[in-house]
Amino acid sequence: GLTMQECRRVLALCKRARYPSGKAIYAAGTPGKEMLVILKGKVAIQMPGGETVAQLEAIDTVGDMEICSAQPRVARVVAEGEVSGLTIGRPELESLIAHHHEIGVKILKNMIEALALKLSAANKLISEKRP
């Protein structure tokens, strides 16, 4: 829902990131100081015991829950094959929201929708595992 000008403003705050296959992108228990928008490749979301609970791919986001809540990361994120994307840090996102309310509302709405989809998928996974 962002205009081209709004997209440029957001992209100016992002940094490019590349991760080789098998690289741990984020570790469980670490501070969530940034989020990643996956542009290429796939990541595995692993619980501390090593169980993969989800896989995300281009144009999913990783770290959105932690960047919004300032909670430590609950899972390990590992590149499955080469992964590239864009990261945005919490300070940059908070500044954008504070100074550009319309962009902030659009971004937060998108983040809420993404989190709702992830929660729904997690709930489905949990219900399928119950006897």
Side-chain angles (χ1 to χ4, degrees):
L2 296 173
T3 67
M4 188 57 73
Q5 183 179 5
E6 290 169 335
C7 284
R8 285 188 188 107
R9 189 174 297 276
V10 173
L11 288 172
L13 301 174
C14 294
K15 296 178 183 172
R16 292 180 190 211
R18 292 174 104 35
Y19 306 96
S21 183
K23 171 77 174 169
I25 298 170
Y26 299 127
T30 59
K33 297 178 182 177
E34 69 176 24
M35 64 181 273
L36 169 69
V37 178
I38 303 166
L39 297 179
K40 177 186 169 203
K42 187 184 294 186
V43 301
I45 310 301
Q46 300 175 342
M47 296 312 293
E51 178 185 9
T52 296
V53 294
Q55 290 181 314
L56 301 173
E57 55 192 31
I59 55 177
D60 287 324
T61 56
V62 178
D64 35 6
M65 182 171 69
E66 294 85 3
I67 202 170
C68 288
S69 68
Q71 296 295 312
R73 298 189 187 280
V74 297
R76 181 174 184 239
V77 179
V78 180
E80 292 190 335
E82 185 177 312
V83 172
S84 61
L86 298 171
T87 62
I88 186 167
R90 180 182 297 120
E92 292 80 12
L93 183 61
E94 288 176 348
S95 177
L96 178 71
I97 292 168
H99 294 97
H100 303 282
H101 301 289
E102 287 184 25
I103 297 174
V105 167
K106 290 177 184 180
I107 289 173
L108 291 174
K109 182 177 182 255
N110 286 333
M111 291 174 75
I112 290 167
E113 288 176 10
L115 288 170
L117 289 172
K118 290 174 186 175
L119 180 59
S120 177
N123 287 341
K124 182 179 178 187
L125 181 66
I126 290 167
S127 69
E128 289 171 354
K129 288 187 175 187
R130 289 190 180 149

